Amino acid sequence: MNGQLNWFKGGLLLGAAFLVAVAFVKPIGVSTQFVIADGIVWNLFSDTVVQKNAESKSGYSSPNAYLNKSGGKYAKNVANPINYSFVFVLAMVAGAFLSFLLGGPRPTALDRSAPEVWRQRFGENPTLRYVTVFFAGILVLFGARLAGGCTSGHMMSGMMQTSLSGYLFAFGAFAAGVPAAILIYKRN
């Protein structure tokens, strides 16, 4: 692809964005917002998902144990989704679109269906790629929720705050990811 930002400059910009977020608001993490989005959709069809509750720490509660944890914090975010974290996720999508408009990376037609490294190993069948990516996304999201956060929260924000769990997560991610990539793509 053409138009990609140099990895070093991109890393510096990403680090600066994390530093600004931690300094002014809170550490970055996005996987919880998938749960909030699910709760918003669920709340459209059922008025029992989130209720106001004066006894709850957040002022909201839910019969769903996950939405109700931390004193109904997630239930409150479902009831009032316009908050920093949810807007941050929407801003990521808007930022990608802005990058496209300003001449960001332009994938070829083949790259849109599958990256070159995928095509070299598995061929040009876009259906196989889409099915694989869909189920991989489900696994990643399941793992993120099981772990209580995603790579941006655990590894990037965690390491930035010198959290031991952040370093352990990063070690585990690379210890599993590198051998998996070698096995999948048959590289030495």
Side-chain angles (χ1 to χ4, degrees), residues 20-101:
V20 168
V22 169
F24 292 108
V25 186
K26 67 178 189 173
I28 292 174
V30 297
S31 65
T32 301
Q33 299 316 306
F34 285 99
V35 175
I36 302 306
D38 291 345
I40 292 167
V41 172
W42 186 10
N43 199 34
L44 292 174
F45 297 99
S46 172
D47 57 357
T48 62
V49 176
V50 174
Q51 300 101 23
K52 286 189 176 187
N53 182 346
E55 296 175 12
S56 175
K57 181 177 165 185
S58 69
Y60 290 86
S61 65
S62 175
N64 179 282
Y66 193 84
L67 293 177
N68 204 42
K69 72 184 208 177
S70 299
K73 175 179 150 187
Y74 296 154
K76 178 181 179 181
N77 288 341
V78 168
N80 304 303
I82 305 303
N83 58 55
Y84 167 78
S85 298
F86 202 71
V87 171
F88 180 81
V89 172
L90 296 176
M92 289 189 330
V93 175
F97 183 67
L98 183 62
S99 172
F100 170 78
L101 292 177

Side-chain angles (χ1 to χ4, degrees), residues 157-183:
S157 289
M159 289 174 66
M160 184 178 179
Q161 298 173 80
T162 65
S163 165
L164 178 59
S165 64
Y167 289 101
L168 291 174
F169 180 83
F171 175 79
F174 283 100
V178 170
I182 290 169
L183 286 171

